[in-house]
């Protein structure tokens, strides 16, 4: 749940700790008292921590979140996404955000259902909701799911068949929508 702030926190902490240490070590050269320098530098580091962390997070988030395109599964290289993305997916577009992602990719129905069957075999017994209760494989009008993909300008699926991954106890999982006429799948995944 807090994973997006861990890296900015670490970078900020170690940068400010290094700066405090450097100033403390250099204080005799600058003819400052070491104890007083350490105390003042530590207080300034505490005051600068939140703004520095926010700035570092903004820079990092611009690189790790947003819309990205990949040719194949092997190019994605993000374990949070790979666990919900079929290995046979091609022409992948991902909208990554802190607590999940949305994906569009080319895949055949056989490849998608085979992937989902494997997921359910591996983790189905741990699912908070059984596959039978989820109405897996039902057709749904795109108008009912369009809000899940707002702002992406992806083409409307002419026929949307809905599938599910196993659902984690905290609600994490993915919902897949497949258009058999175009061999395109969309999915929305959430993780905490």
């Amino acid at each position: 749940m807090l994973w997006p702030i861990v890296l900015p926190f670490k970078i900020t902490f170690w940068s400010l700790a290094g700066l405090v240490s450097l100033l403390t070590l250099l204080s005799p050269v600058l003819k400052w008292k070491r104890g007083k320098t350490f105390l003042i530098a530590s207080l300034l580091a505490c005051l600068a921590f939140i703004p520095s962390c926010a700035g570092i997070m903004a820079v990092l988030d611009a690189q790790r979140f947003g819309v990205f395109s990949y040719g194949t599964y092997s190019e994605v290289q993000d374990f949070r996404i790979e666990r919900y993305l079929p290995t046979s997916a091609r022409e992948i577009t991902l909208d990554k955000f802190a607590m999940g992602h949305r994906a569009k990719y080319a895949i055949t129905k056989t490849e998608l259902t085979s992937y989902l069957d494997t997921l359910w075999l591996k983790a189905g017994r741990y699912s908070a909701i059984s596959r039978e209760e989820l109405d897996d494989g039902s057709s749904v009008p795109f108008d009912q799911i369009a809000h899940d993909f707002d702002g992406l300008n992806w083409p409307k699926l002419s026929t949307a068949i809905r599938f599910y991954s196993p659902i984690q106890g905290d609600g994490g999982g993915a919902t897949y929508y497949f258009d058999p006429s175009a061999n395109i799948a969309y999915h929305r995944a959430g993780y905490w």
Side-chain angles (χ1 to χ4, degrees), residues 89-148:
R90 304 167 297 287
E91 302 169 33
I92 304 163
T93 303
L94 291 171
D95 176 31
K96 300 178 188 180
F97 47 95
M99 296 302 159
H101 68 273
R102 299 181 289 181
K104 174 181 78 118
Y105 45 91
I107 193 167
T108 66
K109 185 175 182 181
T110 305
E111 291 168 332
L112 180 61
T113 55
S114 174
Y115 167 76
L116 290 169
D117 289 344
T118 302
L119 271 184
W120 279 98
L121 280 172
K122 283 189 212 174
R125 67 179 172 267
Y126 305 112
S127 182
I129 303 170
S130 72
R131 195 173 193 183
E132 294 75 29
E133 293 176 84
L134 290 171
D135 199 22
D136 210 35
S138 63
S139 185
V140 59
F142 190 75
D143 296 343
Q144 288 183 5
I145 61 167
H147 66 279
D148 284 344

Side-chain angles (χ1 to χ4, degrees), residues 12-170:
T12 305
F13 176 82
W14 290 112
S15 297
L16 292 174
L19 188 60
V20 168
S21 299
L22 183 65
L23 285 173
T24 303
L25 289 173
L26 292 177
S27 62
V29 174
L30 301 170
K31 300 192 192 297
W32 296 342
K33 293 187 178 190
R34 195 168 272 180
K36 188 175 181 180
T37 301
F38 176 77
L39 181 64
I40 291 171
S42 296
L43 288 172
L44 289 174
C46 288
L47 289 173
F49 187 82
I50 291 176
S52 299
C53 193
I56 290 170
M57 188 181 314
V59 170
L60 287 174
D61 287 354
Q63 301 300 313
R64 60 185 176 169
F65 301 133
V67 178
F68 301 89
S69 295
Y70 304 94
T72 63
Y73 170 90
S74 62
E75 296 173 24
V76 174
Q77 297 183 3
D78 184 336
F79 76 93
R80 285 174 290 279
I81 293 168
E82 290 171 346
R83 65 183 164 179
Y84 296 113
L85 185 66
T87 55
S88 54
R90 304 167 297 287
E91 302 169 33
I92 304 163
T93 303
L94 291 171
D95 176 31
K96 300 178 188 180
F97 47 95
M99 296 302 159
H101 68 273
R102 299 181 289 181
K104 174 181 78 118
Y105 45 91
I107 193 167
T108 66
K109 185 175 182 181
T110 305
E111 291 168 332
L112 180 61
T113 55
S114 174
Y115 167 76
L116 290 169
D117 289 344
T118 302
L119 271 184
W120 279 98
L121 280 172
K122 283 189 212 174
R125 67 179 172 267
Y126 305 112
S127 182
I129 303 170
S130 72
R131 195 173 193 183
E132 294 75 29
E133 293 176 84
L134 290 171
D135 199 22
D136 210 35
S138 63
S139 185
V140 59
F142 190 75
D143 296 343
Q144 288 183 5
I145 61 167
H147 66 279
D148 284 344
F149 303 99
D150 281 345
L152 294 172
N153 297 321
W154 291 350
K156 181 178 175 179
L157 298 176
S158 60
T159 305
I161 301 172
R162 182 173 37 205
F163 299 98
Y164 297 92
S165 72
I167 308 296
Q168 298 169 5
D170 63 3

